[in-house]
């Protein structure tokens, strides 16, 4: 088991990619905190994790609210004793062309995706520094590397996550805390299911492997970054995109 008795906090863990990360980590021996705005769904995912024989805590958490995030981390420390791994996965889209994008659409996406990531990193960094170990994994996107029509807010938030990750990696490396980001391409989830067919067709043409990825494809890379196998890897962005973006 690659994560035996580690405690992992996964934001947006109730469904989609976050849920898949939670299940993969639990199968590798981790206890899981499923933190999500949707408590009902988070509780369902937590129950499935318990079914795998691991401890699971469903936490109602809006990552945009720092006081609530701090409170949530304190609850985890009370109940599970530590936080070894943070996965910043909660994310939203509110697409619109720049000329039509409202202040509200910009703010909402930056708040959840970028400020939410900052809030969670800040809240776990103190206990991680104290225990002199930790793994921080943030889910960015290839859109943060290449930009995309109609996604100024989303692209900026994901590029921000990549830069934030590099800074955290530099600041916390001496405390044995690694920070990396994962940039998925097009993955089969509710988020991509709502894309228009024409957009999906064009995307497929741009993917050398000519298929969408699965949530497990992303979860497996997160597993590597959470495990001891990646102990000398920090500040990196790993793309999981069927070859769509090559540096
Ligand atoms: P998803 O299916 O929409 O799941 C996201 C989860 O995050 C939902 O459970 C959602 O809750 C929760 N969430 C939303 N706002 C939150 C907040 N303020 N605080 C806490 N939780 C919140 O998305 P996904 O496709 O699995 O994507 C997961 C991550 O991967 C995101 O960061 C996304 O940007 C990134 N990503 C996805 C793809 C893709 O192709 N799917 C590609 C690149 C990157 P509710 O929906 O119930 O509100």
């Amino acid at each position: 088991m690659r994560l035996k008795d580690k405690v992992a906090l996964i934001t947006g863990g109730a469904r989609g990619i976050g849920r898949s990360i939670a299940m993969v980590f639990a199968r590798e021996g981790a206890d899981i905190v499923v933190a999500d705005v949707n408590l009902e769904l988070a509780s369902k995912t937590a129950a499935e994790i318990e079914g795998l024989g691991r401890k699971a805590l469903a936490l109602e958490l809006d990552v945009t609210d720092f006081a609530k995030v701090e409170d949530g981390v304190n609850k985890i420390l009370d109940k599970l004793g530590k936080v070894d791994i943070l996965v910043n996965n909660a994310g939203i889209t509110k697409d619109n062309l720049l000329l039509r994008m409202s202040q509200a659409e910009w703010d909402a996406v930056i708040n959840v995706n970028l400020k939410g990531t900052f809030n969670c990193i800040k809240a776990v960094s103190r206990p991680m520094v104290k225990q002199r170990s930790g793994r921080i994994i943030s889910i960015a996107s290839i859109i943060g590397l290449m930009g995309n029509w109609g996604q100024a807010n989303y692209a900026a938030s994901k590029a921000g996550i990549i830069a934030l990750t590099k800074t955290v990696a530099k600041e916390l490396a001496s405390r044995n805390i690694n920070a990396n980001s994962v940039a998925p391409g097009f993955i089969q989830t509710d988020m991509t299911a709502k894309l228009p067919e024409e957009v999906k067709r064009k995307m497929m043409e741009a993917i050398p492997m000519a298929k969408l990825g699965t949530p497990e494809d992303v979860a497996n890379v997160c597993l590597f970054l959470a495990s001891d196998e990646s102990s000398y890897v920090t500040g990196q962005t790993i793309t999981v995109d069927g070859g769509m973006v090559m540096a």
Side-chain angles (χ1 to χ4, degrees):
M1 288 213 181
R2 293 156 78 186
L3 302 181
K4 185 140 179 50
D5 298 328
K6 302 280 186 198
V7 174
L9 161 59
I10 301 168
T11 70
R15 65 189 176 99
I17 293 172
R19 178 184 174 282
S20 186
I21 296 168
M23 302 307 284
V24 166
F25 281 17
R27 278 189 214 110
E28 289 294 334
D31 295 330
I32 310 289
V33 181
V34 184
D36 206 289
V37 277
N38 187 335
L39 182 61
E40 201 183 325
L41 211 53
S43 304
K44 220 175 133 212
T45 303
E48 286 176 63
I49 291 162
E50 280 169 350
L52 296 172
R54 301 306 316 177
K55 285 186 205 147
L57 179 64
L59 201 65
E60 185 172 14
L61 187 72
D62 179 349
V63 295
T64 63
D65 184 334
F66 181 65
K68 292 209 175 112
V69 172
E70 224 180 9
D71 194 45
V73 169
N74 286 334
K75 267 190 202 139
I76 299 167
L77 294 175
D78 273 357
K79 296 205 162 143
L80 299 171
K82 57 181 185 160
V83 185
D84 298 300
I85 303 157
L86 164 67
V87 182
N88 288 302
N89 164 80
I92 61 167
T93 52
K94 287 201 185 293
D95 297 353
N96 218 338
L97 290 173
L98 181 72
L99 287 174
R100 295 195 199 123
M101 187 171 285
S102 66
Q103 297 282 313
E105 285 165 337
W106 172 268
D107 287 347
V109 171
I110 297 293
N111 265 337
V112 175
N113 298 7
L114 184 54
K115 189 177 176 216
T117 298
F118 166 76
N119 285 344
C120 294
I121 292 175
K122 196 162 159 62
V124 301
S125 59
R126 209 174 291 276
M128 282 184 178
V129 164
K130 255 196 199 163
Q131 74 200 20
R132 293 203 165 257
S133 69
R135 291 298 162 95
I136 297 170
I137 300 159
S138 299
I139 307 299
S141 166
I142 54 161
I143 304 304
L145 297 168
M146 61 185 227
N148 200 20
W149 286 270
Q151 294 199 302
N153 48 4
Y154 187 75
S157 72
K158 296 299 190 179
I161 286 176
I162 290 168
L164 171 62
T165 296
K166 291 177 184 174
T167 302
V168 171
K170 286 185 178 178
E171 289 190 9
L172 300 182
S174 65
R175 312 300 164 98
N176 195 29
I177 297 166
N178 297 21
N180 291 287
S181 50
V182 174
F186 284 81
I187 308 297
Q188 279 164 357
T189 64
D190 295 345
M191 194 179 259
T192 46
K194 62 188 180 196
L195 288 173
E197 281 310 313
E198 176 62 9
V199 175
K200 281 193 209 163
R201 196 184 54 75
K202 278 209 174 118
M203 287 305 166
M204 212 57 92
E205 283 170 12
I207 303 171
M209 285 186 179
K211 61 176 182 181
L212 295 186
T214 64
E216 287 71 28
D217 290 327
V218 180
N220 286 329
V221 172
C222 293
L223 172 61
F224 163 70
L225 291 173
S227 74
D228 290 343
E229 291 152 30
S230 64
S231 59
Y232 199 52
V233 179
T234 198
Q236 304 304 307
T237 304
I238 302 183
T239 54
V240 184
D241 65 351
M244 199 172 164
V245 176
M246 297 188 193

